Amino acid sequence: MNKIRYCIFDVGQVCYPYSLEPLNHYCYEKSQNKNKFTSKGGVKGFDYKPFMKGEVDFSEFCRNLCAFCDFAYVPEIETEINEAMHKGVGEMYPETLKVINFLKHQNIEVCLLSNALPNLANTATGLTRRKNIFVSYELGLLKPDVKIYQQVLQKLNALPEEVIFVDDKLKNVEAAKSIGIHGIVFDKNTIAQEIACKLKSA
């Protein structure tokens, strides 16, 4: 059997908790039509995919968000939106950090694969080397598209069975498993045991 060479982690809700609530509060306060904003599900009803796939830049993202939330765009508002989005980033999960440290001591390379908001790119620095960070806006793909996992395997020059993938979303894990990658649905209370089990059985 092939030895595990890489462990790939999602970022939001796996490395740290992330919430859109600060952005939602900011946009609600700015909205000129609060009832409509609420009926659309607040900022959770907005389509982030073009931004996460790198199809629009941050300025266009902000323009589109303002239009969705019914308030006027001005260039200065970009700083406020960026700050609100960063407020949603929580402290790193100690359970994940412990597992990452364990893997490094086992000479298993830690990687990140995220459907990422480009302006939050600085929130996962220090977890691994830059060459091991893979983000949707650079790859032009989003999980659970199997092509994104295939691209990452190619860049790592790795076989699927040499890789563990950890994500909080079952559909993303199932997509990775469909091409032979070892998959784990993240639970901070059990992640250490599950990683150890995968390493033992691989």
Side-chain angles (χ1 to χ4, degrees), residues 13 30-31 49 65 76 78 84 89 94 97 101 120 124 156 160 164 168 172 182 188 199:
Q13 316 304 354
K30 300 284 287 187
S31 178
K49 290 180 181 178
L65 182 64
E76 310 85 75
E78 293 183 16
V89 177
L97 293 177
N101 188 54
L120 299 182
L156 292 173
I164 297 172
D168 65 301
N172 294 343
H182 302 277
K188 61 185 176 66
L199 295 179

Side-chain angles (χ1 to χ4, degrees), residues 24-37:
N24 192 72
H25 177 76
Y26 170 82
C27 291
Y28 177 82
E29 292 301 318
K30 300 284 287 187
S31 178
Q32 299 301 303
N33 192 335
K34 290 179 171 52
N35 288 336
K36 182 180 176 184
F37 174 81

Side-chain angles (χ1 to χ4, degrees), residues 23-87:
L23 179 64
N24 192 72
H25 177 76
Y26 170 82
C27 291
Y28 177 82
E29 292 301 318
K30 300 284 287 187
S31 178
Q32 299 301 303
N33 192 335
K34 290 179 171 52
N35 288 336
K36 182 180 176 184
F37 174 81
T38 302
S39 70
K40 291 191 292 187
V43 296
K44 289 184 178 180
F46 180 70
D47 183 10
Y48 297 87
K49 290 180 181 178
F51 187 44
M52 291 192 294
K53 290 177 72 175
E55 296 171 351
V56 301
D57 63 14
F58 188 63
S59 291
E60 188 171 351
F61 164 77
C62 290
R63 289 178 184 274
N64 294 340
L65 182 64
C66 290
F68 177 85
C69 298
D70 289 298
F71 60 90
Y73 168 86
V74 291
E76 310 85 75
I77 219 163
E78 293 183 16
T79 299
E80 297 174 3
I81 289 175
N82 186 49
E83 288 175 353
M85 293 173 76
H86 273 82
K87 285 179 181 177

